[in-house]
Amino acid sequence: MSLSHLNDRGEANMVDVSDKSVTQRKAVAEGYVSMQPRTLELIQSGEHAKGDVFAVARIAGIQGAKRCSDLIPLCHPLALSKVQVDFYIEADKNRVRIESLCKLSGQTGVEMEALTAVSVAALTLFDMCKAVDPDMTISGIQVLSKEGGKRRRQNGSLGASQ
């Protein structure tokens, strides 16, 4: 299998999707922000000095997905029909799990948009809490599933679409 973003001369190339069929496409991604228990308590209780951390990070993640092609050079600009960013507190692990869902009807997948949504939401959460907890870590950013097009990915495996 060759890299699709390189032309015959090995130069960077935006993939031509004009011959692909328009299909329903969906991708889900996740990532984690680990922190001190007190930081998690401040976020969860709404007592953080900067306000509702999840609300701001959610908007940032949605905006990140919408601006993905401005950030990643060879991504196609997409007319997303749905972007959802959710946060799950995992108190036993002192972390927040971020999950994004991106959907559209189009000719190319939305994995990069889902990954960008999680990444920007995680960075925003980090930014809002770094004064309280500068040792937070962001990890585990990955695509959980993808649907539409020729291939389907579910839980880390890639296979033929059904």
Side-chain angles (χ1 to χ4, degrees), residues 2 5 24-25 42 44 47 51 54 62-63 68 71 75 77 81 89 91 93 106 109-110 114 137 152-153 160:
S2 63
H5 285 84
Q24 297 290 319
R25 296 167 187 264
L42 286 172
Q44 194 170 11
E47 295 175 13
F54 288 156
I62 292 168
Q63 200 59 21
C68 182
L71 300 168
C75 282
S81 58
I89 293 173
K93 296 179 181 176
V110 291
T137 60
R152 166 184 257 115
R153 178 185 176 124

Side-chain angles (χ1 to χ4, degrees), residues 10-144:
E11 301 163 336
N13 175 55
M14 188 174 190
V15 175
D16 182 0
V17 297
S18 59
D19 290 336
K20 288 185 171 185
S21 299
V22 173
T23 60
Q24 297 290 319
R25 296 167 187 264
K26 172 177 141 180
V28 177
E30 74 173 353
Y32 298 89
V33 181
S34 298
M35 61 196 65
Q36 295 298 318
R38 178 66 184 140
T39 309
L40 198 55
E41 289 171 19
L42 286 172
I43 294 169
Q44 194 170 11
S45 69
E47 295 175 13
H48 194 284
K50 292 192 177 181
D52 189 341
V53 173
F54 288 156
V56 176
R58 178 176 286 110
I59 292 168
I62 292 168
Q63 200 59 21
K66 292 168 55 177
R67 301 294 303 267
C68 182
S69 66
D70 292 335
L71 300 168
I72 310 297
L74 300 176
C75 282
H76 294 84
L78 301 178
L80 296 167
S81 58
K82 174 78 173 169
V83 179
Q84 182 174 322
V85 177
D86 293 308
F87 301 93
Y88 303 95
I89 293 173
E90 297 182 351
D92 60 319
K93 296 179 181 176
N94 296 316
R95 68 184 186 182
V96 174
R97 179 176 171 271
I98 304 167
E99 184 177 297
S100 70
L101 161 72
C102 292
K103 293 171 68 173
L104 61 65
S105 293
Q107 295 170 293
T108 189
V110 291
E111 302 92 319
M112 293 308 299
E113 288 71 16
L115 289 166
T116 301
V118 166
S119 299
V120 172
L123 289 168
T124 301
L125 198 153
F126 187 99
D127 181 51
M128 292 186 74
C129 297
K130 69 182 183 273
V132 175
D133 189 354
D135 295 325
M136 291 177 292
T137 60
I138 297 171
S139 64
I141 297 173
Q142 64 177 333
V143 174
L144 293 177

